[in-house]
């Protein structure tokens, strides 16, 4: 593996190539650098290389990093959020990709209203129907998106998913496609993408190119960018 800066450059080139293969504008894909369990220095290195969007899974860790590195970057919550942590999440994040139930949405709305802050959010969908994974079932996503309309401080941008783990990224293609089709269906029904663009957060280190071919607008890349995670961080 190269330095963080070299890795970012290589990933950007792969994003561009995948977008071009699919006949898409490379600028329609944003790279979210997944910095969980990565030290501050690695994140600073990424920032110095022009990376502006970071994804964090754990609230306490994110709080410390955002306090240290501040508003120079945009911070996405990509981890499971308990409703009792919604207050802090509402305060520190710039986007919450993991809204998967009404109770959480309500708790976020309450704090966001107090703050006078509009939060871009994604609905997390459990496309693989895995019992151990967070996310709303695909057939219930429409209802949740509809319910979110009652919350003026949640700006619903699209959908996020984390499909079942597979060795061969080609095996993820069907799940990514399913999320895109679901997004298109919900947009057609008027529940998503008021501006006509539905955000789709899908694809990680092992399969982000396949995800881009299937329509990802946000790819969440950790180990391919930073290297292995340090559990002590
Ligand atoms: C950790 C994580 C990633 C990044 O995974 P890598 O395989 O390291 O790229 C992406 N999305 C979510 C939700 C994660 O928890």
């Amino acid at each position: 593996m190269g330095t963080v800066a070299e890795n970012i450059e290589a990933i950007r080139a792969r994003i561009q190539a995948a977008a071009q293969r699919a006949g898409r504008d490379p600028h329609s894909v944003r790279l979210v650098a997944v910095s969980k369990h990565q030290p501050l220095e690695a994140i600073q290195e990424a920032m110095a290389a022009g990376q502006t969007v970071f994804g964090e899974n754990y609230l306490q860790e994110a709080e410390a990093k955002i306090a240290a590195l501040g508003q120079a970057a945009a911070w996405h919550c990509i981890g499971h959020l308990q409703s009792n942590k919604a207050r802090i999440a509402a305060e520190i994040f710039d986007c919450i990709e993991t809204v998967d139930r009404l109770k959480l949405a309500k708790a976020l709305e309450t704090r966001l209203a107090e703050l006078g802050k509009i939060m871009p959010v994604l609905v997390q969908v459990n496309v693989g129907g895995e019992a151990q994974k967070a996310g709303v079932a695909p057939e219930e996503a429409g209802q949740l998106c509809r319910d979110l309309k009652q919350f003026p401080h949640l700006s619903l941008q699209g959908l996020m998913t984390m499909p079942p783990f597979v060795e061969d990224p080609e095996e993820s293609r069907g799940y990514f496609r399913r999320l895109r089709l679901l997004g298109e269906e919900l947009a057609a029904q008027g529940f998503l993408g008021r501006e006509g663009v539905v955000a789709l957060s899908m694809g990680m280190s092992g399969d982000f190119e396949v995800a881009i071919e299937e329509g990802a607008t946000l790819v969440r890349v950790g180990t391919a960018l930073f290297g292995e995670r340090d559990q002590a961080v």
Side-chain angles (χ1 to χ4, degrees):
M1 265 194 93
T3 64
V4 168
E6 287 165 354
N7 295 342
I8 289 177
E9 198 178 328
I11 291 164
R12 291 201 177 285
R14 288 169 61 189
I15 288 173
Q16 184 161 356
Q20 279 165 349
R21 271 201 301 282
R24 298 184 54 202
D25 176 2
H27 294 108
S28 66
V29 184
R30 274 202 299 163
L31 172 61
V32 178
V34 175
S35 46
K36 63 169 175 240
H37 295 321
Q38 299 292 349
L40 285 181
E41 305 78 72
I43 301 173
Q44 285 166 316
E45 228 182 304
M47 286 176 167
Q51 180 62 31
T52 54
V53 188
F54 294 85
E56 286 282 343
N57 293 62
Y58 308 106
L59 209 60
Q60 278 190 333
E61 190 186 329
E63 226 182 334
K65 286 175 176 168
I66 295 167
L69 300 172
Q71 305 303 320
W75 299 88
H76 286 209
C77 174
I78 62 166
H80 180 65
L81 255 188
Q82 291 168 291
S83 302
N84 63 1
K85 303 281 175 60
R87 288 184 70 80
I88 303 172
E91 289 163 16
I92 67 173
F93 286 112
D94 301 294
C95 173
I96 295 182
E97 297 198 8
T98 50
V99 174
D100 63 356
R101 59 206 189 283
L102 196 54
K103 188 179 174 203
L104 172 62
K106 268 185 190 149
L108 289 168
E109 171 66 24
T110 301
R111 184 60 184 140
L112 290 165
E114 289 168 5
L115 296 167
K117 174 176 173 183
I118 309 275
M119 179 73 80
V121 300
L122 305 180
V123 161
Q124 182 177 2
V125 182
N126 187 355
V127 281
E130 294 171 281
Q132 77 279 14
K133 269 206 186 130
V136 65
E139 52 281 6
E140 285 159 20
Q143 185 62 50
L144 182 58
C145 291
R146 210 167 311 168
D147 289 342
L148 294 190
K149 283 185 170 273
Q150 65 186 287
F151 302 127
H153 297 85
L154 300 185
S155 168
L156 179 58
Q157 314 268 307
L159 307 174
M160 176 270 205
T161 199
M162 200 165 165
F165 177 79
V166 288
E167 287 294 336
D168 178 2
E170 278 301 323
E171 288 176 45
S172 299
R173 189 180 291 277
Y175 293 109
F176 295 145
R177 186 169 299 167
R178 180 147 191 218
L179 193 76
R180 171 167 51 82
L181 293 174
L182 182 61
E184 287 171 1
E185 190 185 311
L186 296 178
Q189 294 169 353
F191 300 132
L192 268 183
R194 259 159 288 186
E195 279 83 50
V197 182
V198 176
L200 295 173
S201 176
M202 56 191 194
M204 319 200 311
S205 289
D207 55 16
F208 69 87
E209 288 150 305
V210 173
I212 290 167
E213 289 168 10
E214 293 301 328
T217 66
L218 293 158
V219 290
R220 309 179 308 269
V221 180
T223 42
L225 198 157
F226 289 114
E228 289 304 317
R229 287 181 270 273
D230 180 355
Q231 296 304 321
V233 173

